[in-house]
Amino acid sequence: PNNALRDKSEKEKEALAVKASESWGMVSADEVRDRGTGVHSLIDDFKSGPNSELRCYFTALMFITRLPCPGWCDHHPGYLMRSMAWFPLCGTFVGLWCAAFIDAAAALVSPTLAAAASMAASMWLTGCFHEDGLGDTTDGFGGGWTKSQILRIMKDSRIGTYGCVALVLFTASKTLALGELGPSVWVLCKCSGQGPALVVAHTLARATSAPLIYVCPYVVDAEDAKADYYGWFGRSRELLGPTRVIFAAMSATAVAVGVYGPSLQTLVLVSAVAAATVFSGYYGTSVIGGVMGDYLGATICLTELALYSLLTVDVSRVLHLAQEQGWPTALRPFMVLAAVLAIPKLWSRGAAKISLEDKDKEC
């Protein structure tokens, strides 16, 4: 069957795909493409029209979770762009949901199994929305060499090796990290343990989306069936505005302060999110020329995991080793790691230089 499909022309393959989608009740790419942007107003007209902040909030809630929302709320790209300001607070709701499950499970089973229960609760509530972006992004960035290849792989609904491994590592690492945090302690500004960590991480991680969308170009794949919709969305970045970006950052920080208080721990977590946002914007721009939906989802997942990891860090280990054997010994593993990470970059530069010299000799 594979050889028979390979020998068919592109038109025959497209016809088979349409027939298969019809038999399975799927919406074809042509049907999606015919929908266009899904809106009937220009960006300027929408901008000058009335704005419902309640609709912005419900748009964010509907986008991030599977919860039903009022019938007058939809995925209008203009309201979706404005709703980015509410992503952190919607993340707070997701975190509280997961915390309820992990606290209940922790009363009966081990902390690691309780963490797995909270993961299942999170996946049900969000529909694995951000995890889907993580899988698509790692598949594309891992398997593609050029921008067009990366985008083509990312829009493929099938999961590849990179995506599969990334999702397994993400779920396993998150479960293990949460299992190390201990039982929940709920005291305003003095919380600790698994539940509060879920609330803060889900909130802060989603604060990365608004600044990335506002600062970085939004990448649109012209061959995507939803190119018109995403094109409208990408051109409407001005609807977000600095005020909404600041609101997203401040609301996320306020939640972190309410949980951990104005402490060094809060400062470290907020600083880590800021650093993750800057790095994600730089990396996405250098590879594909900007950011896109799946990439934002991957950033949220990895930032969330980084926050759990930071909460498990024990700096006293390094300090204790430094007191016993000196700072050179204590810092040696980190220096070796830095050198190992620099090797691929230096190797690539050397290989590129040799290639240029060979071309010059041929000329």
Side-chain angles (χ1 to χ4, degrees):
N2 291 335
N3 292 334
L5 182 61
R6 183 185 60 190
D7 295 335
K8 291 183 180 296
S9 65
E10 291 298 325
K11 290 185 178 180
E12 290 175 319
K13 291 179 182 179
E14 291 179 3
L16 286 173
V18 171
K19 185 176 180 181
S21 65
E22 290 176 350
S23 62
W24 295 338
M26 297 168 58
V27 178
S28 67
D30 289 335
E31 290 181 77
V32 175
R33 192 175 290 109
D34 290 340
R35 295 174 182 176
T37 62
V39 299
H40 302 289
S41 60
L42 299 175
I43 295 176
D44 291 338
D45 294 338
F46 179 83
K47 184 178 179 181
S48 60
N51 175 43
S52 171
E53 207 59 51
L54 185 62
R55 181 172 175 179
C56 291
Y57 170 77
F58 277 118
T59 299
L61 189 66
M62 179 175 61
F63 194 69
I64 289 178
T65 72
R66 302 171 59 192
L67 296 177
C69 291
W72 40 262
C73 182
D74 56 20
H75 288 104
H76 189 293
Y79 281 106
L80 180 58
M81 179 62 72
R82 286 172 170 167
S83 73
M84 293 284 177
W86 293 101
F87 272 29
L89 293 181
C90 288
T92 303
F93 172 77
V94 175
L96 289 170
W97 167 274
C98 297
F101 278 84
I102 203 169
D103 286 350
L108 301 172
V109 298
S110 68
T112 303
L113 287 177
S118 75
M119 283 280 293
S122 171
M123 291 176 179
W124 182 89
L125 182 64
T126 63
C128 293
F129 185 55
H130 301 312
E131 288 81 2
D132 176 73
L134 176 62
D136 288 342
T137 300
T138 48
D139 269 338
F141 280 59
W145 290 91
T146 63
K147 177 181 177 180
S148 60
Q149 289 178 346
I150 292 173
L151 296 180
R152 184 169 67 250
I153 294 172
M154 289 179 69
K155 73 179 179 182
D156 193 329
S157 60
R158 295 167 295 183
I159 187 171
T161 304
Y162 284 102
C164 181
V165 172
L167 290 172
V168 170
L169 288 175
F170 171 74
T171 53
S173 300
K174 181 178 175 181
T175 302
L176 292 173
L178 283 170
E180 294 290 324
L181 294 178
S184 301
V185 176
W186 297 96
V187 179
L188 185 62
C189 296
K190 295 181 181 179
C191 298
S192 63
Q194 296 175 316
L198 283 165
V199 174
V200 172
H202 277 285
T203 302
L204 288 177
R206 286 171 175 82
T208 59
S209 296
L212 286 174
I213 282 282
Y214 184 68
V215 174
C216 302
Y218 193 83
V219 179
V220 179
D221 184 3
E223 298 180 0
D224 195 327
K226 300 178 182 178
D228 290 339
Y229 177 89
Y230 290 131
W232 202 103
F233 179 78
R235 294 190 301 271
S236 65
R237 287 188 301 162
E238 60 189 80
L239 297 174
L240 188 57
T243 302
R244 291 181 176 274
V245 175
I246 294 173
F247 175 79
M250 296 303 294
S251 60
T253 303
V255 171
V257 171
V259 172
Y260 293 130
S263 60
L264 177 61
Q265 187 179 46
T266 301
L267 178 61
V268 170
L269 295 177
V270 172
S271 300
V273 172
T277 304
V278 173
F279 175 79
S280 178
Y282 170 78
Y283 186 67
T285 303
S286 64
V287 176
I288 58 174
V291 298
M292 56 194 310
D294 284 335
Y295 186 78
L296 295 176
T299 300
I300 289 173
C301 286
L302 296 180
T303 303
E304 182 187 347
L305 180 59
L307 294 175
Y308 298 132
S309 301
L310 280 174
L311 289 172
T312 64
V313 168
D314 187 3
V315 182
S316 63
R317 294 181 181 180
V318 178
L319 297 176
H320 181 69
L321 184 60
Q323 289 178 352
E324 288 188 345
Q325 303 182 27
W327 280 105
T329 302
L331 297 178
R332 184 180 299 139
F334 304 104
M335 296 171 64
V336 172
L337 176 61
V340 169
L341 292 175
I343 289 175
K345 190 68 174 179
L346 297 174
W347 182 278
S348 300
R349 289 184 177 181
K353 185 177 181 180
I354 293 174
S355 299
L356 290 174
E357 291 177 352
D358 290 342
K359 287 183 178 179
D360 292 337
K361 290 179 181 179
E362 291 177 0
C363 295

